Amino acid sequence: MAISPPENKLWWKEPLSGVEITWVGIAFLWGLVMFGTMVSWHFVGKQNLSNETYRTTPDAFGEKVEAMVERFQVREEGDTGVPVVHPTPGSDVYMLGRLWEWWPVLELEKGQNYRLHLSSTDWQHGFSLQPQNINIQVHPGYDMVLTITPDKAGEYAVVCNEFCGIGHHTMVGKIHVVDKK
Amino acid sequence: MAVDTQAPSRGFSGASYRTCPETGLKVCSQAEALIKVNAVVAVVFLAVGGFFGLLVALTRWPAVHLLPADWFYLLLTAHGADVLLFWIIFFEVAVLYFASAIILNCRLAAPKWAWLAFVLMVVGAVVANVAVLQGESSVMFTSYVPMQAAPHFYLGLIVFAVGALIAVFVFFGTLVIAKEEGSYEGSVPLVTFGAITAAIIAVFTIASGAIILIPTFLWSVGYISHIDPLMYKVIWWGMGHSSQQINVSAQVAIWYAVAAMLLGAKPLSEKVSRMAFLMYILFLQLASAHHLLVEPGVSSEWKIFNTSYALYLAVLGSMIHGMSIPGAMEAAQRRAGFNNGMFEWLRKAPWGNPAFSGVALSIVIFGFLGGITGVIMGTEQLNLIMHNTLYVPGHFHATVVGGTTLAFMAITYLVVPLIFRKEIMFKKIAQWQPYVFGAGISGVSLFMMGAGTLGVSRRHWDIGFSDAAMSFDYPATAFLMMGLNGISAILASLGGLMFVLVVVCSVFFGKARTPESIAASPTLPSTGTAETVTTYGSEKHPKLPGTVVLVTVFFVAFVLYYYVNWKYLSEVWPLS
Amino acid sequence: MSEQGTGSGGAPEERVPAMQRLLDNPFLLLFMGVASPAALYLLWGVMELSQIPIAQ
Ligand code: HEM
Ligand SMILES: [Cu+2]
Ligand SMILES: [Cu+2]
């Protein structure tokens, strides 16, 4: 039994059964395939998270967001009057998570690239773009930069999916993707 | 701990023994008492935590929406801590004492320390629960900074962890004693080796926990001004995920143990099974990176290497166990004469014995639902379309509940007659229990994963966003999934209640086992054990057509579902 | 342990293979099992975090 010591004291030298060794081989190869798939997606796939991150502070990040809003605001949206910005394609755009809103609302053009900066000014938040279902963790003190290319026009919600206190379930933001003007 | 090793009979802390009438094992009375108290406390936390789980699930059922928001987050924190930490780890301590002192036929090292460990763990767990129930610590059991809990929340966890660490060292001490006193010959049994694996991972787990929770505690009382949230998360998951790997190791050890005790199964090969455990020891803990795949600040190289357990070597380990255990069962059953066709060995297995059916369901749920989804979620890019959605709790209710908890329940049906020496009461309920619980928790798992695929967030009180300044509607199917999840949760809770009822009644009010009752209904059927396994060692190259079919089905499901998810990923916005 | 085993089965005393001796030594395994994740996961991870540049 597996609950008594092996009778054969030199169990290491026992020959292996064919079925088992075949399975070990298959499982090992499958591991290599999965590893290779992950690596090669960085070269052939279009959905990879960037490795670009900077240390920042809530104030410094907040200033950049304000500057963008000042420059590109086109209207307001929602019960609380969150500004909507329409930044130039290709530019740096910012989205800030804080208790309990995503700020501001972004209006992006379909098929264009944007360098999206994500950070928080208080606790951790979860950037969950719906219904795309792209999910990224947002930390205070870190500015994560990713290049996004929205490829379908429409209205997208940014749900917070990291627990951030009692108002967590009210934290919803917006990204609009519009056809090129 | 090594001081007393020469004098087992000197009665160190009353090292007395009885001989088990069913297994012939020498049972150290201290080890026996400690196994009992740890198991009982474990079951208490399962009952309490499981009840919280039901309330949480009913709140997430939009049509019921049971609790107000503050209570939802409070009880979700308590649910995570009580079941994931306290139920599981108390039970694991019992498993460690069983796999050392009992299986190795020797006395437990330093029983006084083991009692101290127990007391510390109880105190820590109670303090943490009090902190959460007081309402100032609804931070989820992950307690990500800079959100802050009350100081005694962290303190409770630290005291609990110190206790657990002492228990782990009592286990290692017992291994030393067994070897020095020659209570076994050659190598330790495979089950004990599995327990060693669990204990090793536990040391890393608890060390990581100490590195991060002690400063966090100091921060909560104001001695430290800042804890970096990323640093916290990297180190915290060194504890949080590794502790799940303790569960995996302990649960696999139990699979081997129950297969051996009920069917007389011996591993296909000692060498391969132990190497599979070695893969766990070396690589399983790297998968802590699963939780950091969409974080800023750590590179893709770090993510890919760690999340893949160094080229999936630990997955290799699991796939080996996943074939080796059913294979060992098939071989044993065929030896016992169930040799017709592909699956007679499986059909004629003791499905009416909850210890067996629990383990069999645990293997299936863990492998098919938990294992495959875990590897997929742990793929660097695929995590993007799953992180922090309900897919995550869906996955781990298949691993840690359908897999580990069910395996622990299964072996409890052997522990009650063998260690508590009580008859199992309500045999019919006991017989059905693994099926009810297994079906319920599979539902919980599948429907949460379904909702997660549709984007529904975990730890979220209101997926209708009724109080939000901006609106969003999840698809109607998501609401349906949450309803089905609620129904499954009721079923799972019923299964949990059946377990608690049977175990508590048997332990406290059950009839004591007598020589007559043992003869009439032996816990361990003589078929496998006494005769057929006259010599113990690896199986001699049996034919295993049934197992081959089973692992083939598993492999095909794995590959298909893996690439389906890449397809999903390829359809979302390009990002780099 | 195995080296000193008296071989009660009467088998001729053979040298225990190195891999088996490793697997029979819980404390060596303990060391490896702690060192491996400490270096590959914790240290490497913490080093990367400490090298994150400051935003301009
Ligand atoms: C009757 C049985 C159970 C039911 C119905 C149940 C149900 C649930 C539900 C609905 C959630 C909430 C998901 C969310 O909103 O994010 C949850 C979370 C969780 N459950 Fe369970 N559960 C059960 C048993 C268990 C057991 C036995 C364990 C561990 C061994 C466990 C571990 C967890 C953990 C760790 C979480 C995550 C808590 C968090 O997000 O902080 N559950 N459970
Ligand atoms: Cu938030
Ligand atoms: Cu939130």
Side-chain angles (χ1 to χ4, degrees), chain B residues 127-128 130-132 134-139 143 147-157 216-217 219-221:
Chain B
V127 168
V130 168
V132 172
Q134 281 171 337
E136 300 301 310
S137 304
S138 300
V139 293
S143 55
M147 191 184 286
Q148 201 174 57
H152 54 302
F153 174 77
Y154 306 108
L155 197 60
L157 295 184
T216 307
F217 166 68
W219 167 73
S220 73
V221 292

Side-chain angles (χ1 to χ4, degrees), chain A residues 4-15, chain B residues 185-187 270-271 274 535-538 540, chain C residues 2 9 11-12 14 17 20 24:
Chain A
S4 30
E7 176 101 344
N8 178 355
K9 296 234 177 71
L10 289 176
W11 44 265
W12 185 261
K13 297 205 168 154
E14 287 171 354
Chain B
E185 282 189 26
S187 308
E270 283 285 339
K271 175 164 143 183
R274 284 175 203 241
T535 59
Y536 169 76
S538 306
K540 292 288 175 290
Chain C
S2 315
E14 258 186 277
Q20 181 173 333
D24 278 345

Side-chain angles (χ1 to χ4, degrees), chain B residues 46 49-58 60 72 76-77 79-85 87-88 139-142 244 247 389-390 393 396-397 400-401 404-405 437 441 444 448 457-460 482 485 488-490 492-494 496:
Chain B
L46 175 65
F51 176 62
F52 294 161
L54 175 65
L55 299 183
V56 165
L58 291 179
R60 295 221 59 170
F72 170 77
L76 184 53
T77 308
H79 172 62
D82 282 337
V83 276
L84 193 72
L85 299 176
W87 141 249
I88 294 276
V139 293
M140 304 296 130
F141 76 104
T142 42
Q244 305 320 303
N247 306 342
T389 66
L390 271 178
F396 66 65
H397 281 77
V400 80
V401 192
T404 309
T405 299
F437 188 74
I441 216 64
V444 167
M448 283 208 270
S457 164
R458 71 184 288 196
R459 301 173 164 177
H460 200 283
M482 297 315 292
N485 176 57
S488 310
I490 295 175
S493 306
L494 179 66

Side-chain angles (χ1 to χ4, degrees), chain B residues 320-393:
Chain B
I320 291 174
H321 293 308
M323 126 122 226
S324 168
I325 292 169
M329 290 178 174
E330 177 169 4
Q333 287 284 86
R334 285 186 187 275
R335 225 187 312 111
F338 302 115
N339 222 340
N340 288 328
M342 199 84 90
F343 286 119
E344 192 197 17
W345 64 274
L346 194 58
R347 279 198 312 277
K348 298 272 172 71
W351 292 102
N353 182 337
F356 177 82
S357 62
V359 160
L361 290 172
S362 162
I363 295 175
V364 172
I365 297 175
F366 182 86
F368 279 85
L369 293 185
I372 293 178
T373 59
V375 171
I376 287 169
M377 247 190 341
T379 302
E380 191 207 3
Q381 297 92 341
L382 296 180
N383 190 260
L384 257 175
I385 53 171
M386 296 165 176
H387 174 78
N388 267 358
T389 66
L390 271 178
Y391 199 94
V392 180

Side-chain angles (χ1 to χ4, degrees), chain A residues 100 124-126 160-165 167-169 171:
Chain A
W100 284 285
Q124 292 185 36
H125 299 282
C160 178
N161 73 0
E162 181 55 78
F163 172 65
C164 56
H168 162 59
H169 47 271
M171 182 163 166

Side-chain angles (χ1 to χ4, degrees), chain A residues 29 38 50 58 63 75 87 90 92 117 120 124-125 128 137 157 161-162 168 171 174-175:
Chain A
L29 288 179
M38 209 163 33
S50 89
E63 271 168 32
R75 58 174 193 276
D92 284 52
H117 294 247
S120 154
Q124 292 185 36
H125 299 282
S128 177
Q137 190 79 21
N161 73 0
E162 181 55 78
H168 162 59
M171 182 163 166
K174 279 274 141 86
I175 295 181

